[in-house]
């Protein structure tokens, strides 16, 4: 069995239905010890790749959720100031001298996700999620750890990796990623699943869902994503809608139009999108999906 097919099988066992190209990209990321940048629309399943990969490989998942204003203290390390202040107070009480090396030691270091990910004995899966939501300056913090697998702390110097994590970086395309970061990564664009893949996803995650209902749900969602929506429904929304229809004892979308339409809030998450899909449009999309 090829390496890519092996990863495809492992991910499937963990609940993620991956294509051959994505499976190959993941296998090469581990073989070449390079980060893998996954880009695509929100809801396409990028985060779930890392979660499933950690589960499939039996590794810890360390997740760094990116946001505007993220800096080194939240992502790499910070000093345990409370412990340092206690040490200073104790030294003063005992009339002992205290050197900088005593205060700025590894014992007083709080490891945030990036430093933690290279400090484990067993290499974890490091998920740097939605990197495009962080400021461009944050990418500079990433370059050292992604290229050298080390972190430089002024008081301690360079800290080399105990093990090299398998790094998955996701981006929803909110802003352009710098060329410097892209050059250090392998790259794969993650599309929304096609009908056949989404049908398999429903069957894997909702095994009690009948083939008839799963087929009608997957076919409708494929048509819905062709509409000009502000927020296309992701895989999670598809599963929510299918589960809701099961709860309503619906066996086929086309045979229970009004009830299925009433549950459309599982798929459409903005008022504008809900207004854009009135019942008449819903009927038309269902007819196209049959």
């Amino acid at each position: 069995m090829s390496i890519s097919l092996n990863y495809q099988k492992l991910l499937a066992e963990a609940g993620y239905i991956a294509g051959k190209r994505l499976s190959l990209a993941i296998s090469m990321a581990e073989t070449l010890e390079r980060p893998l940048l996954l880009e695509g629309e929100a809801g396409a399943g990028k985060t779930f790749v890392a979660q499933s990969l950690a589960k499939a490989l039996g590794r810890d998942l360390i997740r760094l959720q990116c946001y505007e204003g993220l800096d080194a203290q939240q992502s790499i390390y910070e000093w345990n100031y409370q412990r340092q202040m206690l040490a200073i107070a104790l030294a003063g009480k005992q009339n002992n001298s205290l050197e900088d090396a005593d205060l700025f030691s590894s014992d007083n270091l709080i490891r945030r996700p990036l430093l933690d990910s290279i400090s484990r004995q067993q290499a974890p899966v490091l998920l740097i999620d939605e990197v495009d939501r962080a400021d461009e300056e944050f990418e500079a913090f990433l370059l050292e750890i992604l290229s050298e697998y080390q972190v430089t702390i002024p008081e301690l110097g360079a800290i080399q990796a105990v093990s090299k994590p398998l790094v998955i970086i996701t981006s929803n395309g909110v802003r352009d990623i710098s060329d410097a970061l892209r050059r250090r990564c392998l790259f794969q664009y993650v599309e929304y699943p096609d009908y056949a893949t989404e049908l398999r996803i429903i069957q894997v995650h909702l095994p009690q869902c009948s083939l008839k209902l799963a087929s009608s749900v997957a076919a409708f969602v494929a048509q819905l994503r062709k509409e000009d929506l502000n927020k296309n429904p992701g895989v999670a929304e598809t599963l929510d809608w299918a589960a809701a229809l099961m709860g309503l004892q619906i066996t086929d979308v086309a045979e229970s139009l009004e009830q299925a339409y009433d549950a459309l809030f599982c798929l459409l998450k903005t008022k504008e999108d809900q207004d854009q899909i009135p019942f008449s449009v819903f009927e038309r999309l269902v007819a196209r999906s049959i």
Side-chain angles (χ1 to χ4, degrees):
M1 181 182 291
S2 70
I3 295 177
S4 61
L5 289 177
N6 186 49
Y7 272 89
Q8 202 171 15
K9 181 175 181 293
L10 285 172
L11 287 169
E13 291 172 353
Y16 189 89
I17 309 303
K20 291 182 180 179
R21 287 175 62 90
L22 177 57
S23 301
L24 179 60
I26 293 170
S27 67
M28 289 299 100
E30 181 159 35
T31 301
L32 301 175
E33 297 182 336
R34 297 280 297 279
L36 175 60
L37 173 60
L38 301 179
E39 205 162 47
E41 291 193 57
K46 303 180 297 298
T47 298
F48 195 48
V49 171
Q51 294 170 336
S52 301
L53 191 56
K55 181 179 179 181
L57 298 176
R59 302 189 191 181
D60 290 338
L61 175 69
I62 298 177
R63 179 175 180 173
L64 174 62
Q65 178 62 52
C66 297
Y67 54 88
E68 186 176 354
L70 181 65
D71 60 18
Q73 281 195 333
Q74 287 80 42
S75 61
I76 305 178
Y77 75 97
E78 67 174 316
W79 293 107
N80 190 331
Y81 296 115
Q82 184 177 13
R83 188 166 179 170
Q84 289 173 324
M85 293 301 294
L86 287 173
I88 292 172
L90 182 62
K93 186 176 181 179
Q94 297 176 344
N95 294 318
N96 294 332
S97 61
L98 200 61
E99 304 294 333
D100 285 349
D102 298 319
L103 289 175
F104 297 100
S105 67
S106 59
D107 290 338
N108 293 329
L109 192 65
I110 299 175
R111 291 172 172 80
R112 297 305 187 193
L114 294 181
L115 178 56
D116 186 24
S117 71
I118 64 171
S119 302
R120 303 287 186 95
Q121 291 296 324
Q122 181 186 25
V125 174
L126 171 62
L127 169 61
I128 302 174
D129 211 9
E130 298 183 314
V131 69
D132 52 324
R133 294 190 180 277
D135 302 319
E136 292 184 26
E137 292 78 7
F138 172 71
E139 293 182 23
F141 295 127
L142 292 178
L143 297 182
E144 180 182 23
I145 192 169
L146 296 182
S147 58
E148 305 296 333
Y149 288 97
Q150 70 175 30
V151 167
T152 299
I153 298 175
E155 297 86 353
L156 296 178
I159 298 179
Q160 300 289 336
V162 175
S163 61
K164 294 182 179 180
L166 177 53
V167 183
I168 304 294
I169 304 174
T170 73
S171 169
N172 295 334
V174 173
R175 65 168 177 82
D176 289 335
I177 305 302
S178 70
D179 289 341
L181 180 57
R182 285 187 182 275
R183 283 197 301 270
R184 285 165 172 79
C185 301
L186 305 181
F187 174 80
Q188 181 66 36
Y189 192 87
V190 179
E191 303 276 2
Y192 286 119
D194 58 20
Y195 162 76
T197 302
E198 196 141 35
L199 174 58
R200 288 183 62 198
I201 291 171
I202 296 171
Q203 291 177 310
V204 167
H205 289 273
L206 299 173
Q208 301 304 316
C209 185
S210 68
L211 177 60
K212 186 177 182 181
L213 178 58
S215 299
S216 65
V217 166
F220 174 77
V221 172
Q223 292 296 323
L224 182 62
R225 289 191 183 121
K226 296 177 183 179
E227 298 296 299
D228 186 21
L229 300 174
N230 290 323
K231 177 175 169 42
N232 275 322
V235 175
E237 284 76 26
T238 299
L239 292 173
D240 285 345
W241 194 49
L245 299 184
M246 288 174 62
L248 293 170
Q249 298 184 334
I250 293 173
T251 58
D252 187 304
V253 173
E255 294 175 4
S256 305
L257 285 174
E258 291 187 3
Q259 280 186 297
Y261 179 73
D262 287 341
L264 213 57
F265 56 82
C266 294
L267 290 175
L268 303 174
K269 297 299 183 68
T270 69
K271 183 179 185 302
E272 292 76 13
D273 286 344
Q274 290 183 351
D275 291 343
Q276 192 169 325
I277 309 296
F279 187 73
S280 59
V281 174
F282 176 73
E283 282 187 298
R284 172 171 54 81
L285 294 176
V286 171
R288 286 182 181 177
S289 67
I290 297 174

